[in-house]
Amino acid sequence: MATWDDVRRIALALPEATERGSYDGLPAWRVRDKLFVWDRPLRPADRAALGDAAPDGPVLGARVPDLGAKEALLADAPEVYFTVPHLDGYPAVLVRLDRIGVGELTELITEAWYARAPKRLAATHRAGAR
């Protein structure tokens, strides 16, 4: 399935995307300094909240357009997407990186980029993608 190399390649292929460590030094990708995907290992409180459902593999955080999109991803593929109480009310999902295909990952990262990119930059990219 997908790897951190795939995340890096996909994210950095998007216009004006940069990689810079997050506050804890883990990889994070931004567009004009707005975070759109990031390495999000589970914290002790997350593991406690998830219990036996807590994944052991790598976890990617991804911004989504809105809470409706978040709920749709969580409902459609709970084996891939999940959330933790820390993200309640926030338009982002967590992804079991070892359970998502590269095609779906590309779509997720691109949509995360669109959610954070300035409107003109996003519109120019959409126009070029057609």
Side-chain angles (χ1 to χ4, degrees), residues 25-50:
L26 295 171
W29 293 268
R30 304 169 192 284
V31 57
R32 294 203 186 160
D33 210 34
K34 291 185 177 182
L35 192 66
F36 65 99
V37 290
W38 60 96
D39 183 344
R40 177 46 166 87
L42 296 181
R43 299 175 179 131
D46 301 330
R47 291 194 179 281
L50 293 170

PDB file of all heavy atoms in Angstrom, residues 25-50:
ATOM      1  N   GLY A  25       8.514  18.259  14.966  1.00  0.00           N
ATOM      2  CA  GLY A  25       9.599  17.856  14.089  1.00  0.00           C
ATOM      3  C   GLY A  25       9.256  16.775  13.078  1.00  0.00           C
ATOM      4  O   GLY A  25      10.102  16.392  12.281  1.00  0.00           O
ATOM      5  N   LEU A  26       8.034  16.292  13.066  1.00  0.00           N
ATOM      6  CA  LEU A  26       7.631  15.263  12.114  1.00  0.00           C
ATOM      7  C   LEU A  26       7.286  15.905  10.774  1.00  0.00           C
ATOM      8  O   LEU A  26       6.919  17.077  10.714  1.00  0.00           O
ATOM      9  CB  LEU A  26       6.434  14.488  12.661  1.00  0.00           C
ATOM     10  CG  LEU A  26       6.729  13.676  13.920  1.00  0.00           C
ATOM     11  CD1 LEU A  26       5.446  13.117  14.513  1.00  0.00           C
ATOM     12  CD2 LEU A  26       7.711  12.561  13.607  1.00  0.00           C
ATOM     13  N   PRO A  27       7.368  15.139   9.681  1.00  0.00           N
ATOM     14  CA  PRO A  27       7.084  15.708   8.362  1.00  0.00           C
ATOM     15  C   PRO A  27       5.667  16.268   8.258  1.00  0.00           C
ATOM     16  O   PRO A  27       4.708  15.668   8.752  1.00  0.00           O
ATOM     17  CB  PRO A  27       7.258  14.520   7.419  1.00  0.00           C
ATOM     18  CG  PRO A  27       8.085  13.532   8.159  1.00  0.00           C
ATOM     19  CD  PRO A  27       7.761  13.737   9.614  1.00  0.00           C
ATOM     20  N   ALA A  28       5.583  17.407   7.597  1.00  0.00           N
ATOM     21  CA  ALA A  28       4.296  18.054   7.345  1.00  0.00           C
ATOM     22  C   ALA A  28       4.416  18.807   6.028  1.00  0.00           C
ATOM     23  O   ALA A  28       5.479  19.332   5.696  1.00  0.00           O
ATOM     24  CB  ALA A  28       3.942  19.010   8.481  1.00  0.00           C
ATOM     25  N   TRP A  29       3.318  18.846   5.294  1.00  0.00           N
ATOM     26  CA  TRP A  29       3.314  19.506   3.986  1.00  0.00           C
ATOM     27  C   TRP A  29       2.319  20.655   4.023  1.00  0.00           C
ATOM     28  O   TRP A  29       1.215  20.530   4.547  1.00  0.00           O
ATOM     29  CB  TRP A  29       2.989  18.485   2.904  1.00  0.00           C
ATOM     30  CG  TRP A  29       4.098  17.495   2.789  1.00  0.00           C
ATOM     31  CD1 TRP A  29       5.178  17.578   1.957  1.00  0.00           C
ATOM     32  CD2 TRP A  29       4.285  16.292   3.545  1.00  0.00           C
ATOM     33  NE1 TRP A  29       6.024  16.501   2.168  1.00  0.00           N
ATOM     34  CE2 TRP A  29       5.491  15.698   3.132  1.00  0.00           C
ATOM     35  CE3 TRP A  29       3.550  15.663   4.555  1.00  0.00           C
ATOM     36  CZ2 TRP A  29       5.979  14.511   3.669  1.00  0.00           C
ATOM     37  CZ3 TRP A  29       4.032  14.486   5.092  1.00  0.00           C
ATOM     38  CH2 TRP A  29       5.234  13.913   4.650  1.00  0.00           C
ATOM     39  N   ARG A  30       2.735  21.767   3.431  1.00  0.00           N
ATOM     40  CA  ARG A  30       1.963  23.008   3.488  1.00  0.00           C
ATOM     41  C   ARG A  30       1.860  23.632   2.107  1.00  0.00           C
ATOM     42  O   ARG A  30       2.719  23.406   1.260  1.00  0.00           O
ATOM     43  CB  ARG A  30       2.653  24.012   4.411  1.00  0.00           C
ATOM     44  CG  ARG A  30       2.903  23.515   5.803  1.00  0.00           C
ATOM     45  CD  ARG A  30       3.833  24.444   6.578  1.00  0.00           C
ATOM     46  NE  ARG A  30       4.307  23.880   7.807  1.00  0.00           N
ATOM     47  CZ  ARG A  30       3.607  23.766   8.929  1.00  0.00           C
ATOM     48  NH1 ARG A  30       2.383  24.202   8.972  1.00  0.00           N
ATOM     49  NH2 ARG A  30       4.124  23.223   9.994  1.00  0.00           N
ATOM     50  N   VAL A  31       0.834  24.438   1.952  1.00  0.00           N
ATOM     51  CA  VAL A  31       0.728  25.316   0.788  1.00  0.00           C
ATOM     52  C   VAL A  31       0.594  26.730   1.345  1.00  0.00           C
ATOM     53  O   VAL A  31      -0.306  27.001   2.143  1.00  0.00           O
ATOM     54  CB  VAL A  31      -0.427  24.935  -0.160  1.00  0.00           C
ATOM     55  CG1 VAL A  31      -1.781  24.912   0.541  1.00  0.00           C
ATOM     56  CG2 VAL A  31      -0.447  25.856  -1.376  1.00  0.00           C
ATOM     57  N   ARG A  32       1.525  27.574   0.985  1.00  0.00           N
ATOM     58  CA  ARG A  32       1.594  28.943   1.518  1.00  0.00           C
ATOM     59  C   ARG A  32       1.426  28.947   3.035  1.00  0.00           C
ATOM     60  O   ARG A  32       0.641  29.703   3.598  1.00  0.00           O
ATOM     61  CB  ARG A  32       0.582  29.846   0.838  1.00  0.00           C
ATOM     62  CG  ARG A  32       0.908  30.054  -0.627  1.00  0.00           C
ATOM     63  CD  ARG A  32       0.326  31.298  -1.170  1.00  0.00           C
ATOM     64  NE  ARG A  32       0.566  31.370  -2.613  1.00  0.00           N
ATOM     65  CZ  ARG A  32      -0.137  32.127  -3.411  1.00  0.00           C
ATOM     66  NH1 ARG A  32      -1.116  32.890  -2.942  1.00  0.00           N
ATOM     67  NH2 ARG A  32       0.127  32.151  -4.692  1.00  0.00           N
ATOM     68  N   ASP A  33       2.154  28.073   3.661  1.00  0.00           N
ATOM     69  CA  ASP A  33       2.237  27.926   5.114  1.00  0.00           C
ATOM     70  C   ASP A  33       0.962  27.413   5.778  1.00  0.00           C
ATOM     71  O   ASP A  33       0.821  27.469   6.990  1.00  0.00           O
ATOM     72  CB  ASP A  33       2.711  29.223   5.788  1.00  0.00           C
ATOM     73  CG  ASP A  33       3.482  28.929   7.059  1.00  0.00           C
ATOM     74  OD1 ASP A  33       4.190  27.902   7.108  1.00  0.00           O
ATOM     75  OD2 ASP A  33       3.348  29.695   8.020  1.00  0.00           O
ATOM     76  N   LYS A  34       0.039  26.880   4.990  1.00  0.00           N
ATOM     77  CA  LYS A  34      -1.162  26.255   5.555  1.00  0.00           C
ATOM     78  C   LYS A  34      -1.025  24.745   5.434  1.00  0.00           C
ATOM     79  O   LYS A  34      -0.881  24.199   4.342  1.00  0.00           O
ATOM     80  CB  LYS A  34      -2.421  26.734   4.832  1.00  0.00           C
ATOM     81  CG  LYS A  34      -2.731  28.185   5.103  1.00  0.00           C
ATOM     82  CD  LYS A  34      -4.041  28.558   4.470  1.00  0.00           C
ATOM     83  CE  LYS A  34      -4.393  29.988   4.804  1.00  0.00           C
ATOM     84  NZ  LYS A  34      -5.695  30.347   4.239  1.00  0.00           N
ATOM     85  N   LEU A  35      -1.084  24.090   6.570  1.00  0.00           N
ATOM     86  CA  LEU A  35      -0.928  22.646   6.658  1.00  0.00           C
ATOM     87  C   LEU A  35      -2.037  21.940   5.888  1.00  0.00           C
ATOM     88  O   LEU A  35      -3.220  22.259   6.052  1.00  0.00           O
ATOM     89  CB  LEU A  35      -0.995  22.282   8.144  1.00  0.00           C
ATOM     90  CG  LEU A  35      -0.599  20.905   8.586  1.00  0.00           C
ATOM     91  CD1 LEU A  35       0.880  20.668   8.357  1.00  0.00           C
ATOM     92  CD2 LEU A  35      -0.922  20.748  10.058  1.00  0.00           C
ATOM     93  N   PHE A  36      -1.652  20.951   5.038  1.00  0.00           N
ATOM     94  CA  PHE A  36      -2.702  20.164   4.380  1.00  0.00           C
ATOM     95  C   PHE A  36      -2.573  18.668   4.624  1.00  0.00           C
ATOM     96  O   PHE A  36      -3.577  17.975   4.680  1.00  0.00           O
ATOM     97  CB  PHE A  36      -2.864  20.520   2.887  1.00  0.00           C
ATOM     98  CG  PHE A  36      -1.706  20.218   1.982  1.00  0.00           C
ATOM     99  CD1 PHE A  36      -1.689  19.072   1.204  1.00  0.00           C
ATOM    100  CD2 PHE A  36      -0.654  21.112   1.856  1.00  0.00           C
ATOM    101  CE1 PHE A  36      -0.640  18.817   0.333  1.00  0.00           C
ATOM    102  CE2 PHE A  36       0.398  20.871   0.986  1.00  0.00           C
ATOM    103  CZ  PHE A  36       0.409  19.716   0.217  1.00  0.00           C
ATOM    104  N   VAL A  37      -1.385  18.120   4.804  1.00  0.00           N
ATOM    105  CA  VAL A  37      -1.199  16.734   5.250  1.00  0.00           C
ATOM    106  C   VAL A  37       0.022  16.670   6.166  1.00  0.00           C
ATOM    107  O   VAL A  37       0.946  17.477   6.031  1.00  0.00           O
ATOM    108  CB  VAL A  37      -1.055  15.712   4.091  1.00  0.00           C
ATOM    109  CG1 VAL A  37      -2.360  15.517   3.349  1.00  0.00           C
ATOM    110  CG2 VAL A  37       0.053  16.084   3.138  1.00  0.00           C
ATOM    111  N   TRP A  38       0.010  15.708   7.097  1.00  0.00           N
ATOM    112  CA  TRP A  38       1.081  15.636   8.080  1.00  0.00           C
ATOM    113  C   TRP A  38       1.175  14.239   8.679  1.00  0.00           C
ATOM    114  O   TRP A  38       0.215  13.484   8.682  1.00  0.00           O
ATOM    115  CB  TRP A  38       0.871  16.672   9.185  1.00  0.00           C
ATOM    116  CG  TRP A  38      -0.409  16.512   9.947  1.00  0.00           C
ATOM    117  CD1 TRP A  38      -0.580  15.866  11.136  1.00  0.00           C
ATOM    118  CD2 TRP A  38      -1.710  16.993   9.571  1.00  0.00           C
ATOM    119  NE1 TRP A  38      -1.899  15.918  11.523  1.00  0.00           N
ATOM    120  CE2 TRP A  38      -2.620  16.609  10.578  1.00  0.00           C
ATOM    121  CE3 TRP A  38      -2.199  17.714   8.481  1.00  0.00           C
ATOM    122  CZ2 TRP A  38      -3.976  16.910  10.520  1.00  0.00           C
ATOM    123  CZ3 TRP A  38      -3.552  18.010   8.422  1.00  0.00           C
ATOM    124  CH2 TRP A  38      -4.432  17.612   9.440  1.00  0.00           C
ATOM    125  N   ASP A  39       2.363  13.925   9.173  1.00  0.00           N
ATOM    126  CA  ASP A  39       2.596  12.690   9.916  1.00  0.00           C
ATOM    127  C   ASP A  39       1.969  12.891  11.293  1.00  0.00           C
ATOM    128  O   ASP A  39       2.295  13.838  12.004  1.00  0.00           O
ATOM    129  CB  ASP A  39       4.108  12.463  10.027  1.00  0.00           C
ATOM    130  CG  ASP A  39       4.482  11.160  10.721  1.00  0.00           C
ATOM    131  OD1 ASP A  39       3.629  10.544  11.389  1.00  0.00           O
ATOM    132  OD2 ASP A  39       5.661  10.777  10.615  1.00  0.00           O
ATOM    133  N   ARG A  40       1.041  12.001  11.658  1.00  0.00           N
ATOM    134  CA  ARG A  40       0.287  12.193  12.912  1.00  0.00           C
ATOM    135  C   ARG A  40       0.269  10.907  13.727  1.00  0.00           C
ATOM    136  O   ARG A  40      -0.733  10.173  13.761  1.00  0.00           O
ATOM    137  CB  ARG A  40      -1.117  12.668  12.573  1.00  0.00           C
ATOM    138  CG  ARG A  40      -2.123  12.869  13.714  1.00  0.00           C
ATOM    139  CD  ARG A  40      -1.554  13.619  14.889  1.00  0.00           C
ATOM    140  NE  ARG A  40      -2.581  14.082  15.793  1.00  0.00           N
ATOM    141  CZ  ARG A  40      -3.095  13.371  16.798  1.00  0.00           C
ATOM    142  NH1 ARG A  40      -2.719  12.145  17.035  1.00  0.00           N
ATOM    143  NH2 ARG A  40      -4.010  13.912  17.583  1.00  0.00           N
ATOM    144  N   PRO A  41       1.383  10.586  14.378  1.00  0.00           N
ATOM    145  CA  PRO A  41       1.359   9.386  15.226  1.00  0.00           C
ATOM    146  C   PRO A  41       0.340   9.547  16.355  1.00  0.00           C
ATOM    147  O   PRO A  41       0.040  10.671  16.779  1.00  0.00           O
ATOM    148  CB  PRO A  41       2.788   9.297  15.774  1.00  0.00           C
ATOM    149  CG  PRO A  41       3.388  10.634  15.566  1.00  0.00           C
ATOM    150  CD  PRO A  41       2.637  11.309  14.463  1.00  0.00           C
ATOM    151  N   LEU A  42      -0.176   8.436  16.809  1.00  0.00           N
ATOM    152  CA  LEU A  42      -1.162   8.485  17.886  1.00  0.00           C
ATOM    153  C   LEU A  42      -0.494   8.820  19.208  1.00  0.00           C
ATOM    154  O   LEU A  42       0.578   8.317  19.526  1.00  0.00           O
ATOM    155  CB  LEU A  42      -1.893   7.154  17.988  1.00  0.00           C
ATOM    156  CG  LEU A  42      -2.738   6.780  16.780  1.00  0.00           C
ATOM    157  CD1 LEU A  42      -3.426   5.443  17.027  1.00  0.00           C
ATOM    158  CD2 LEU A  42      -3.754   7.853  16.446  1.00  0.00           C
ATOM    159  N   ARG A  43      -1.157   9.645  19.958  1.00  0.00           N
ATOM    160  CA  ARG A  43      -0.691  10.035  21.292  1.00  0.00           C
ATOM    161  C   ARG A  43      -1.348   9.115  22.316  1.00  0.00           C
ATOM    162  O   ARG A  43      -2.336   8.430  22.011  1.00  0.00           O
ATOM    163  CB  ARG A  43      -1.079  11.491  21.529  1.00  0.00           C
ATOM    164  CG  ARG A  43      -0.424  12.405  20.503  1.00  0.00           C
ATOM    165  CD  ARG A  43      -0.879  13.834  20.629  1.00  0.00           C
ATOM    166  NE  ARG A  43      -0.181  14.633  19.639  1.00  0.00           N
ATOM    167  CZ  ARG A  43      -0.762  15.485  18.826  1.00  0.00           C
ATOM    168  NH1 ARG A  43      -2.059  15.677  18.881  1.00  0.00           N
ATOM    169  NH2 ARG A  43      -0.054  16.164  17.946  1.00  0.00           N
ATOM    170  N   PRO A  44      -0.845   9.097  23.540  1.00  0.00           N
ATOM    171  CA  PRO A  44      -1.448   8.223  24.559  1.00  0.00           C
ATOM    172  C   PRO A  44      -2.960   8.449  24.727  1.00  0.00           C
ATOM    173  O   PRO A  44      -3.714   7.484  24.871  1.00  0.00           O
ATOM    174  CB  PRO A  44      -0.673   8.574  25.828  1.00  0.00           C
ATOM    175  CG  PRO A  44       0.675   8.990  25.328  1.00  0.00           C
ATOM    176  CD  PRO A  44       0.388   9.738  24.038  1.00  0.00           C
ATOM    177  N   ALA A  45      -3.402   9.688  24.698  1.00  0.00           N
ATOM    178  CA  ALA A  45      -4.845   9.957  24.838  1.00  0.00           C
ATOM    179  C   ALA A  45      -5.622   9.393  23.653  1.00  0.00           C
ATOM    180  O   ALA A  45      -6.753   8.917  23.820  1.00  0.00           O
ATOM    181  CB  ALA A  45      -5.090  11.464  24.965  1.00  0.00           C
ATOM    182  N   ASP A  46      -5.034   9.437  22.453  1.00  0.00           N
ATOM    183  CA  ASP A  46      -5.686   8.861  21.268  1.00  0.00           C
ATOM    184  C   ASP A  46      -5.818   7.349  21.427  1.00  0.00           C
ATOM    185  O   ASP A  46      -6.874   6.776  21.171  1.00  0.00           O
ATOM    186  CB  ASP A  46      -4.866   9.137  20.000  1.00  0.00           C
ATOM    187  CG  ASP A  46      -4.646  10.603  19.710  1.00  0.00           C
ATOM    188  OD1 ASP A  46      -5.510  11.429  20.071  1.00  0.00           O
ATOM    189  OD2 ASP A  46      -3.606  10.930  19.096  1.00  0.00           O
ATOM    190  N   ARG A  47      -4.737   6.719  21.866  1.00  0.00           N
ATOM    191  CA  ARG A  47      -4.755   5.264  22.057  1.00  0.00           C
ATOM    192  C   ARG A  47      -5.786   4.855  23.110  1.00  0.00           C
ATOM    193  O   ARG A  47      -6.490   3.865  22.948  1.00  0.00           O
ATOM    194  CB  ARG A  47      -3.376   4.745  22.437  1.00  0.00           C
ATOM    195  CG  ARG A  47      -2.400   4.844  21.285  1.00  0.00           C
ATOM    196  CD  ARG A  47      -1.148   4.026  21.532  1.00  0.00           C
ATOM    197  NE  ARG A  47      -0.269   4.148  20.385  1.00  0.00           N
ATOM    198  CZ  ARG A  47      -0.415   3.497  19.244  1.00  0.00           C
ATOM    199  NH1 ARG A  47      -1.412   2.655  19.098  1.00  0.00           N
ATOM    200  NH2 ARG A  47       0.432   3.664  18.254  1.00  0.00           N
ATOM    201  N   ALA A  48      -5.882   5.654  24.164  1.00  0.00           N
ATOM    202  CA  ALA A  48      -6.868   5.364  25.209  1.00  0.00           C
ATOM    203  C   ALA A  48      -8.281   5.489  24.656  1.00  0.00           C
ATOM    204  O   ALA A  48      -9.149   4.664  24.952  1.00  0.00           O
ATOM    205  CB  ALA A  48      -6.666   6.304  26.394  1.00  0.00           C
ATOM    206  N   ALA A  49      -8.526   6.520  23.850  1.00  0.00           N
ATOM    207  CA  ALA A  49      -9.861   6.740  23.287  1.00  0.00           C
ATOM    208  C   ALA A  49     -10.230   5.657  22.277  1.00  0.00           C
ATOM    209  O   ALA A  49     -11.386   5.226  22.213  1.00  0.00           O
ATOM    210  CB  ALA A  49      -9.943   8.120  22.631  1.00  0.00           C
ATOM    211  N   LEU A  50      -9.256   5.205  21.490  1.00  0.00           N
ATOM    212  CA  LEU A  50      -9.530   4.213  20.448  1.00  0.00           C
ATOM    213  C   LEU A  50      -9.535   2.784  20.971  1.00  0.00           C
ATOM    214  O   LEU A  50     -10.148   1.904  20.371  1.00  0.00           O
ATOM    215  CB  LEU A  50      -8.496   4.343  19.326  1.00  0.00           C
ATOM    216  CG  LEU A  50      -8.551   5.629  18.515  1.00  0.00           C
ATOM    217  CD1 LEU A  50      -7.329   5.732  17.610  1.00  0.00           C
ATOM    218  CD2 LEU A  50      -9.833   5.712  17.710  1.00  0.00           C
TER     219      LEU A  50
END
